[in-house]
Amino acid sequence: MADQQQSDTAPSWWSRPSAPAAAAGAETGHAAEPGAGSDPAAEPAPQATVPGPRYDPWGERPLQVADQGKAPGGRGIRLRHAVALSLGTALLAGGIGGWLGVLAERQSSTRLELPQAAVESKGRAPESVAGIAATALPGVVTLHVRGSGGSGTGTGFVLDQQGHILTNNHVVSDAEDITVTFSTGESVTAELVGRDSGYDLAVVKVEGVRGLQPLSLGNSENVKVGDPVVAIGAPFDLSNTVTAGIISATGRPITAGGDKGDGSDISYVDALQTDAPINPGNSGGPLLDAKARVIGINSAIRGADKGDPEKQSGSIGLGFAIPVNQGKRVAEELIRTGHATHPVIGVTLDMEYTGDGARVAAKGEGGKPAVTADGPGARAGIQGGDVITKVDGVRVHGGDELVIKIRAHRPGDPLTLTVLRDGSERTLELVLGSANGS
């Protein structure tokens, strides 16, 4: 059994020892069989020996045999190649994936559509701000004025098909050249028809303009506090600017102007007060009611005090408009005669009086009587030193307020005055007289 195992074919890299059989048997602990070396037929065919050192399993150090058919370190190289190939493949796949992702994102972004409302009708309710603006804008104009004192911008609106346009006196008072620009952008030259500093109103006229759209005039007597209003103008030369608000107060006595120092340019207005934003350049523009009718002519604002940097400049929600009833009468007179008339009571007031009410002066200018002889006041019984406290039952607190309340009427209108004389009040009836304005 042991011999059978020894006679098995050895691996190609292993050779048996070439010692005699007896010696081999002795080394291995087996006896040699009789006649084993003398029988030629029994001897196996000689085998080619593999050159190289001989293998001694009992040697001090077994021979380390390497595979001569492969280069040293081949397995490690193959592993590194596999790792490098895998890494390269991963990087390539990642790069391609990233590029495809960017491409997909770009393609998807070009197709991105956010939710949006469909196109709707551009029509608006007539009483809405947009509806009022659409109705009125074709009849509102911007005025560019040049004069000896410089240039400026104001607003006006068309009164009739003849080309008359109403604006403020302070817009055109020093004008040498007036240009009117319509909402369509068309510009034409205008001529001054007439102006009045006391009412701060003026009329200019354009020629040869077709398709004029006059604005409808309302009635300022119908205005109530809280009514919605729309203002249109060119603040800081921004034409066709629309703002909205409410009527904040009615019958607000204000004075404006006074830059000349002699009082000739002071305007007295029994104004409509509004919080609709009004700024420089809005002057002369229309204040409209909910039916797009003019109820006032924007004229003044209460801004920051001069020299006070802590107060806001421009509109602070205190705008004032000349009531359209007053504007209509003055415009008609300016178109007809070039001048406006002022209602008067025929007395000289003491403007230095600081008490409550308006006091009639003791003497007039140049030593003349303070109450004009045979004037409205004289006929009503007014005397020098009387203090007028009410007009038609409405209290007045100073001379300016009395002038404003009187100018809110027409010449020939009846008035009821309450006067304080010698500590007692009395009521006087008079009819307003007339005087030519500036």
Side-chain angles (χ1 to χ4, degrees), residues 13 53 55 61-68:
W13 51 267
Y55 176 70
R61 185 178 181 182
L63 182 66
Q64 301 296 317
V65 181
D67 189 350
Q68 300 294 330

Side-chain angles (χ1 to χ4, degrees), residues 46-366:
Q47 296 181 356
T49 59
V50 178
R54 298 162 69 181
Y55 176 70
D56 185 0
W58 286 274
E60 294 181 359
R61 185 178 181 182
L63 182 66
Q64 301 296 317
V65 181
D67 189 350
Q68 300 294 330
K70 297 179 176 58
R75 182 177 180 183
I77 293 174
R78 289 197 303 273
L79 180 59
R80 288 196 296 272
H81 286 177
V83 171
L85 180 60
S86 300
L87 180 59
T89 302
L91 291 175
L92 180 61
I96 294 174
W99 179 77
L100 291 175
V102 171
L103 181 62
E105 182 180 358
R106 290 179 178 177
Q107 291 178 344
S108 64
S109 65
T110 60
R111 297 192 299 269
L112 178 64
E113 292 186 7
L114 297 174
Q116 184 180 27
V119 176
E120 300 175 350
S121 171
K122 295 183 179 180
R124 294 292 186 269
E127 67 276 8
S128 67
V129 174
I132 295 168
T135 300
L137 275 171
V140 180
V141 302
T142 301
L143 285 82
H144 294 97
V145 178
R146 290 191 302 106
S148 59
S151 60
T153 303
T155 308
F157 58 93
V158 179
L159 291 172
D160 54 31
Q161 293 290 347
Q162 286 70 47
H164 292 107
I165 294 169
L166 184 62
T167 187
N168 281 144
N169 171 70
H170 72 260
V171 172
V172 299
S173 58
D174 297 322
E176 296 176 358
D177 180 75
I178 304 172
T179 300
V180 170
T181 302
F182 293 86
S183 61
T184 59
E186 179 184 4
S187 295
V188 295
T189 300
E191 297 293 333
L192 180 64
V193 173
R195 63 187 185 86
D196 186 276
S197 61
Y199 289 114
D200 194 21
L201 291 171
V203 173
V204 300
K205 186 178 182 182
V206 296
E207 300 283 355
V209 180
R210 297 182 178 179
L212 293 174
Q213 298 190 36
L215 297 189
S216 299
L217 303 183
N219 191 321
S220 49
E221 293 296 327
N222 298 330
V223 175
K224 299 297 182 183
V225 174
D227 284 348
V229 290
V230 172
I232 301 179
F236 300 100
D237 204 15
L238 298 173
S239 301
N240 307 322
T241 296
V242 177
T243 56
I246 63 169
I247 293 293
S248 304
T250 60
R252 187 73 80 189
I254 66 166
T255 58
D259 295 333
K260 293 184 178 180
D262 59 0
S264 62
D265 62 335
I266 296 178
S267 58
Y268 300 87
V269 181
D270 200 29
L272 301 174
Q273 181 181 326
T274 179
D275 67 349
I278 297 174
N279 289 284
N282 274 103
S283 295
L287 187 68
L288 306 156
D289 65 9
K291 295 184 178 180
R293 300 174 302 192
V294 181
I295 57 172
I297 301 94
N298 300 319
S299 180
I301 62 172
R302 177 68 171 89
D305 291 340
K306 293 182 179 179
D308 188 348
E310 295 184 358
K311 290 189 177 181
Q312 177 183 345
S313 61
S315 174
I316 57 174
L318 293 174
F320 302 97
I322 301 168
V324 71
N325 290 15
Q326 184 173 334
K328 175 179 179 294
R329 178 182 71 81
V330 173
E332 291 169 345
E333 292 184 349
L334 292 175
I335 293 172
R336 186 169 58 249
T337 67
H339 299 281
T341 58
H342 297 173
V344 295
I345 61 175
V347 301
T348 299
L349 297 177
D350 179 5
M351 302 305 288
E352 302 297 327
Y353 178 66
T354 58
D356 194 41
R359 185 169 69 180
V360 179
K363 292 183 180 180
E365 293 182 3

